[in-house]
Amino acid sequence: MNTHTTSKTHITLLGLGDMGTALARAWLAAGHPLTVWNRTAAKAGALAAEGARAAGGPAEAVAAATGPVVLCLLDDASVGEALDGIDLNGRDVVNLTTGTPAEAKRRARWAEERGARFLDGGIMAIPPMIGRPETGGYVFYSGDLGLFERHREALEAPAGAKFVGEDPGRAALHDIALLSAMTGMFAGITHAFALVRPEKDLDQAGFATLLAEWLGAMAGAVHGVAAQLESGDYTEGVTSNLAMMAAANATFLATAEEQSVDSRLLTPYMELMSRRVAQGHGDEGLAGTVGLLRGE
Ligand code: FVH
């Protein structure tokens, strides 16, 4: 059983969905005294049996806090609802709920107006990665650096911690930027499987291995894009330029048609490449298309 005699930081956790429950178990496993609250009270039952103290409401949970008050709720609106009317004066609020950078900044101001210190977090992990450092999961943090440093050891119990700036919106920006890149990757994976799907004798698992290896090899391209954006020379170090890639797009589209695959996941990006080439920048690398998305 968990007791309050340990020297470990006490954690107050609001939200016991899939992620909140995984966080709770990691803190309990690391020996942190833990108070939990969840809107649907039944979800706290198993954790109470494992050593957590289940609070009767969010106000009671926050009032019991001697360490960080961690929120892991559905969205920013649910954070507002859960904390509505609750005294936050002097509290260290750590919000691990996914939101936009603007929501994080507003929530930081909102918390500070109520006398609380505020740290925002973006979780780069799925629940099975929590409490398992070998999986490489981590959380981006931004906002109050003093709060982060004071509770760093406790924050690092469920997953690694990367502080990305005192602007409270920075963690959400990093989180959503990485997840957006992942979304594009998933779109590409979906298209690739749709292409090979009709081939009954093609081993899907073997194809998956090839695809994963290829995506891993290509991921290094991000460093070239960053170097080009930093130098302002979008032709720097280019090996496969936009003109070549745009020309190959016709073959990709023809193959999609041959295989009866809707090419809607590819065409928006292909149009961007073609536009940059038409502007006379066919010798550039991928960095040349970044400005187009920003209307530059
Ligand atoms: N699960 C994942 O893979 C991802 C990984 C990356 C980070 N996300 C974000 O983490 C936040 C929580 O995610 P979750 O997986 O725990 O989500 P759910 O299982 O859907 O649980 C949602 C909890 O939020 C509570 N809740 C919803 N609305 C309210 C409200 N108005 N007032 C108070 N609590 C609310 C809900 O309570 P209940 O339905 O059990 O009563 C759950 O505790 C999230 O931002 C992800 O984007 C997870």
Side-chain angles (χ1 to χ4, degrees):
M1 276 292 281
N2 189 19
T3 75
H4 284 245
T5 55
T6 172
S7 61
K8 295 258 186 174
T9 305
H10 175 260
I11 309 285
T12 301
L13 174 63
L14 307 188
L16 297 174
D18 293 339
M19 182 53 79
T21 299
L23 293 170
R25 292 217 158 95
W27 274 310
L28 286 174
H32 288 271
L34 179 70
T35 298
V36 295
W37 171 79
N38 193 63
R39 180 181 62 177
T40 305
K43 287 189 189 168
L47 287 165
E50 293 168 33
R53 179 177 167 267
E60 184 189 320
V62 172
T66 58
V69 175
V70 180
L71 294 130
C72 189
L73 301 174
L74 186 63
D75 55 16
D76 182 65
S78 52
V79 172
E81 280 177 40
L83 293 180
D84 186 33
I86 290 178
D87 181 10
L88 295 177
N89 193 34
R91 302 294 171 195
D92 285 350
V93 175
V94 180
N95 185 20
L96 300 185
T97 305
T98 302
T100 72
E103 282 173 339
K105 289 180 197 187
R106 280 197 296 272
R107 191 56 68 194
R109 275 196 302 277
W110 177 93
E112 282 154 15
E113 282 162 12
R114 285 157 181 76
R117 291 167 289 269
F118 185 87
L119 191 65
D120 196 65
I123 303 175
M124 305 311 302
I126 55 173
M129 294 165 76
I130 299 298
R132 294 178 57 210
E134 72 279 9
T135 62
Y138 65 88
V139 180
F140 285 122
Y141 287 101
S142 63
D144 190 314
L145 180 57
L147 189 170
F148 175 73
E149 283 174 345
R150 189 161 51 256
H151 299 306
R152 183 173 192 148
E153 192 189 338
L155 295 175
E156 284 181 334
K162 294 185 201 284
F163 188 82
V164 287
E166 295 191 64
D167 169 350
R170 275 300 163 86
L173 183 61
H174 280 74
D175 181 18
I176 302 302
L178 265 58
L179 293 177
S180 298
M182 180 189 75
T183 301
M185 182 186 76
F186 285 164
I189 291 170
T190 303
H191 184 88
F193 273 107
L195 286 178
V196 301
R197 184 79 177 140
E199 311 303 315
K200 295 295 171 219
D201 60 340
L202 195 149
D203 169 35
Q204 304 286 317
F207 179 73
T209 301
L210 297 172
L211 185 51
E213 286 170 359
W214 177 244
L215 292 174
M218 289 298 100
V222 297
H223 301 295
V225 176
Q228 290 164 6
L229 290 171
E230 271 170 13
S231 71
D233 175 5
Y234 298 168
T235 64
E236 181 186 322
V238 170
T239 48
S240 304
N241 67 33
L242 284 177
M244 180 282 294
M245 287 193 279
N249 286 343
T251 306
F252 296 178
L253 295 176
T255 304
E257 197 171 344
E258 286 173 15
Q259 296 294 100
S260 304
V261 173
D262 185 334
S263 56
R264 73 173 76 191
L265 297 177
L266 299 186
T267 47
Y269 185 54
M270 290 178 168
E271 281 160 16
L272 216 58
M273 286 176 168
S274 299
R275 193 144 40 100
R276 191 65 182 165
V277 172
Q279 288 175 345
H281 297 290
D283 57 344
E284 291 180 351
L286 300 184
T289 57
V290 173
L292 286 182
L293 274 189
R294 301 196 53 84
E296 291 166 2

